[in-house]
Amino acid sequence: MADALTLDVGPDGIAVATMNLAGRPMNVVNDELMLPLAAIAERLHTDATIKGLVLTSGKADFCAGGDIDMISKLESAQQAFDATMQMKAVLRRLETAGKPVVAAINGHALGGGLEIALACHARFVLNDPKLKLGQPEVKLGLLPGGGGTVRLPRLIGIQAALQLMAEGNDVSPGKAQGLGLVTDLAADRDELIAKARAWCLANPKAKQPWDQPKFRFPGGDSRSPAVVQMLAIGPSIASAKSWGNYPAIQHIMSCVFEGGLLDFDAASAVESRYFAACVMSPESRNLIGTLWYQLNAIKKGASRPAGIPSAKVMKLGILGAGMMGAGIAYVSAKAGIDVVLLDTSQDAAERGKAYSQGLLDAAVKKGRSSTEKRDALLAKIAPTTRYEDLAGCDLVIEAVFEDRAIKADVTKLAEAQIGASAVFASNTSTLPITGLAQASARPANFIGLHFFSPVDKMPLVEIIVGAQTAPETLARGFDYVLQIGKTPIVVNDSRGFYTSRVFGTYVMEGIAMLKEGVHPRSIEVAGLQAGMPMPPLALQDEVSLSLGLHVADQTKKDLAAEGKPFTEHPGLSVVRQLCEIGRIGKKAGQGFYDWPAEKGGEKSLWPELTRLYPTAAQQPGQRELIDRLLFAQANEAARCYEEGVLRSVADANIGSIFGWGFAPFQGGALQYINAMGAKRFVERARELAALHGARFEPAKVIVAMAERGGQFAD
Ligand code: NAD
């Protein structure tokens, strides 16, 4: 325990405390760190030889935040309340010794890490634009429970503090200095410690602003007119985005509002009460379970075959420089990979490269990149029409038209150029991988790497394992996805794989409602209330109705050829009808919506929609609509699990949130069932099936869980 914090008192009486938790890549706030910090705080009060304290870290980060393992083990609201009050007592002792305490922030200071720094009298930060400062707790359904909601508004003002805490986004040292969060920046570690030390010596009796007799909130407290106005509209602005699905946001606002009327200690206690409410909420359990534990498991390679040495892609070939190929080229070159970008004409290939140029020019303009970095990245992308240029590629990804014959053709041409051990991947969104691999001379090296659009923004890649894909091929695909900084999920081959298949149930359910006479606006609102980032009809317009119809028709044809039945979704006839009258979606300017021609214009629901599908006199309640939208997805995800398309629960949950935005606070498509309990899910699914059709009949795997107990778990 002694190792977690070492103390080195200099001849000037300034002590430097260095946080360095043993056996951990990063410092986190837990007992191991807080106990020695408490001892140091006491020593500040009692040891006259110590004149001041500089707090820094011996790791690459300053402190990454609360120990999630510890938070997850809190079993009651009382325990959560007590744990945070204990931490806050230590920080309060630290800042009230009548001696200067300075944070020398040498790396990320996030969550509880930033809260420790806020309890210091000054904060010096290494001027590294990649260094992050922030309170991201809200992203896991929590709030800063170590005094953040009390100190931050008192330091930088209520509005700026609320924004940082309610959105959970981090800021760079420069931006943090602009907000008043940072005292000064330092060029390197030596300067950082020297500046912190000098500040201690210059301010021997440092006191926090909030401990000064005439303290005023910068910008006013919760009673001042400007703040009152902002706080009055704050909740509606927040719920316009979150639809009340994220109680942590409301709790943060309550902490700041109530805390802004109270003295420091009372505000601290209020914060701990709201923190306890967050910890006990199903939303935080869902978010932590999926976006912390399951995501970390995935990143550590839970879905990667074990025992295969990791490999890096040095040279990548991309066939097809269209929307997807251009995006894949950009993210790969950004990761330092040499890219050969091939299309049927040099012009098309150059256009694909120009996509990167556009993104990089914008980044340079915004000061996020330099012209040198831009030029270095662009130099990594070689546009071509010559297959010979693919020689030496360790991986080739095809992103040509969604057409089996064209894909077969380019597979053969590329394989003739690349080495025997190179991997060939298809970015198909719908065509089964095993079928596409028939064109390959080495199907063991053939795999699906399904990217999402826009590639530079979407965090997920769905890796599809064909019937003959070798474990080595999977491992190399997996490593490549991590190499480009994306999150891989691994699924077995199937029509629509996992993401497209389940995503489709969401939009089609919304469309089926329209056909039944549900008012389109109620459908769209239900989608947002359910926690989806985009409502179903707007989303179908975005991906295009004609594409949806094409995929359904192709599926029908394929199933007929295989002698299998095709069950048409009731929403499909609506899609067909709209396509027949040219309303094929956003790209045509018209679908379920009229889309504005000019950028920045507002889309509006097509007024004739309710004439084509008359609104029923009796409208269902929103709960019914929300349940339908979520049950349709969760049930289909469970079917994917039952059929072995999904290989893990973590992949199911992360894939649903990162792939198509399944309501994050529910923790993902299978966690939705876990949190509700299989029994309740089955009961409600059967009710929905009786009312709306057999597609809601609960998957066998859920019925079995309802009968025998258990839940989806890896
Ligand atoms: P696109 O039409 O924008 O681009 C396709 C490119 O392939 C064009 O530049 C075309 O010239 C080129 N091409 C066609 N035949 C070729 C050949 N024989 N050799 C070399 N290049 C050839 O299409 P896209 O949206 O980029 O989609 C490409 C693939 O990615 C498709 O399989 C699609 O299903 C899949 N996909 C698309 C999305 C999406 O949102 N658009 C998402 C995931 C996967």
Side-chain angles (χ1 to χ4, degrees), residues 243-317:
W243 293 85
N245 289 324
Y246 295 85
I249 299 178
Q250 282 135 319
H251 292 333
I252 288 170
M253 286 192 285
S254 301
C255 284
V256 172
F257 173 68
E258 294 172 32
L261 300 170
L262 298 169
D263 66 38
F264 190 92
D265 292 337
S268 291
V270 165
E271 177 189 89
S272 285
R273 292 217 172 90
Y274 281 113
F275 178 79
C278 286
V279 171
M280 291 297 112
S281 71
E283 290 81 2
S284 84
R285 299 249 146 130
N286 290 339
L287 287 163
I288 289 174
T290 301
L291 293 181
W292 183 260
Y293 286 109
Q294 295 185 349
L295 182 57
N296 286 343
I298 285 177
K299 286 186 175 162
K300 283 190 191 139
S303 318
R304 183 189 187 277
I308 298 167
S310 68
K312 273 200 161 30
V313 172
M314 307 305 286
K315 185 175 174 188
L316 170 73

